[in-house]
Amino acid sequence: MIELFDFSLSSVYTHMLVRFAICILVNWIIIDRLYYTKSRRRDFYFTFMLIAIAIFFLVFFMIFVLDEMKGKTGIGIGIGLFGIFSIMRYRTDSMPVREMTYLFVLISLSVVNALAVNVTLTELLITNILIILAVWLCEARLKVEPAKLVQYDRIELIKPERYDELKADLQQRIGVNVLRVEVGGVDMLRDTALLKVYYSSENKRNTIDGMLKQPKPTLML
């Protein structure tokens, strides 16, 4: 008979809380000190942290609670992990590659920390530190350039020979120091082109600039 109001903590659950504290600390270092300092994306900060927490407890309880089901445990874990990685793609705007990579790393960290039952805390700490160092080294080599998507109306300036004129016009109209411009889709019917404008700016708030495509206009009823 299972006691519903037993406030004592088992040794397994206490050990899990220690591993959870390590997992949260490592995730916070990666998200707050490595990712957020460059991107300033509060929406992904929220997403990364909560998904990491949810994945940790999901994997932990799948192992220890479903362990009583014996043979069905492996099937449950397999289905659960499939669901974990399937949520990496949302039905809204596509996630940038950098954010997708961070999400994959954080999910993997949560799974590793939750599954590390037969691993000592020292070995678990070393593994987490190695992942932090790998992310830090990659970020140290990566220079994030803010970019904007612009629906451009002066289609005659997208020609290669008029590239300097295009940069000067964008710099004057947008009000930023344009570094380079990439030409995307061209609408010959409306005489417009979709440009991706890279620029240098002291303002690190880059929430809207991180969008991969312009949102579709909504109908006002």
Side-chain angles (χ1 to χ4, degrees):
M1 184 88 180
I2 300 176
E3 297 183 8
L4 297 180
F5 298 98
D6 185 5
F7 294 99
S8 61
L9 297 179
S10 63
S11 59
V12 173
Y13 196 84
T14 304
H15 187 60
M16 183 275 296
L17 291 178
V18 175
R19 287 185 280 120
F20 175 71
I22 296 174
C23 181
I24 289 300
L25 177 61
V26 172
N27 288 334
W28 179 82
I29 293 174
I30 293 177
I31 297 172
D32 190 84
R33 297 306 175 184
L34 298 178
Y35 171 77
Y36 186 71
T37 53
K38 283 189 176 181
S39 298
R40 298 291 173 179
R41 295 292 302 268
R42 296 183 180 181
D43 50 348
F44 282 119
Y45 192 113
F46 171 87
T47 301
F48 291 160
M49 187 62 73
L50 290 187
I51 285 183
I53 294 174
I55 293 301
F56 179 89
F57 284 110
L58 175 64
V59 175
F60 172 79
F61 284 109
M62 275 199 308
I63 294 173
F64 291 100
V65 175
L66 297 179
D67 187 55
E68 299 178 359
M69 301 176 65
K70 303 299 179 182
K72 296 183 179 180
T73 305
I75 300 176
I77 293 177
I79 296 175
L81 292 179
F82 176 78
I84 289 172
F85 292 106
S86 66
I87 64 174
M88 293 175 60
R89 181 167 181 84
Y90 298 97
R91 288 188 172 272
T92 55
D93 293 333
S94 299
M95 184 179 294
V97 176
R98 181 167 177 266
E99 277 70 16
M100 183 71 75
T101 305
Y102 267 99
L103 182 58
F104 181 81
V105 170
L106 294 171
I107 289 178
S108 301
L109 270 176
S110 298
V111 173
V112 168
N113 283 282
L115 289 175
V117 180
N118 298 323
V119 177
T120 64
L121 291 180
T122 303
E123 295 170 339
L124 188 62
L125 284 173
I126 293 175
T127 303
N128 283 278
I129 291 174
L130 289 176
I131 296 177
I132 293 176
L133 289 176
V135 176
W136 176 76
L137 288 174
C138 292
E139 281 290 357
R141 300 279 298 179
L142 176 65
K143 182 180 180 181
V144 178
E145 294 179 343
K148 289 183 179 292
L149 289 181
V150 178
Q151 196 76 27
Y152 194 60
D153 55 350
R154 299 186 63 184
I155 196 173
E156 68 277 2
L157 296 183
I158 67 173
K159 298 178 181 179
E161 59 270 16
R162 305 189 67 177
Y163 180 72
D164 293 335
E165 296 181 54
L166 175 63
K167 286 180 59 178
D169 183 61
L170 288 170
Q171 187 163 321
Q172 180 182 3
R173 297 171 69 177
I174 301 178
V176 296
N177 182 24
V178 178
L179 300 176
R180 69 181 189 276
V181 182
E182 296 178 356
V183 181
V186 179
D187 191 340
M188 303 299 291
L189 295 177
R190 297 181 178 84
D191 288 336
T192 59
L194 185 62
L195 307 180
K196 190 170 186 179
V197 182
Y198 294 89
Y199 64 95
S200 60
S201 175
E202 296 298 329
N203 187 4
K204 295 184 178 180
R205 293 184 179 181
N206 196 28
T207 302
I208 299 179
D209 299 343
M211 296 174 59
L212 295 179
K213 60 181 180 180
Q214 293 181 339
K216 295 180 179 180
T218 56
L219 297 177
M220 301 299 292
L221 300 178

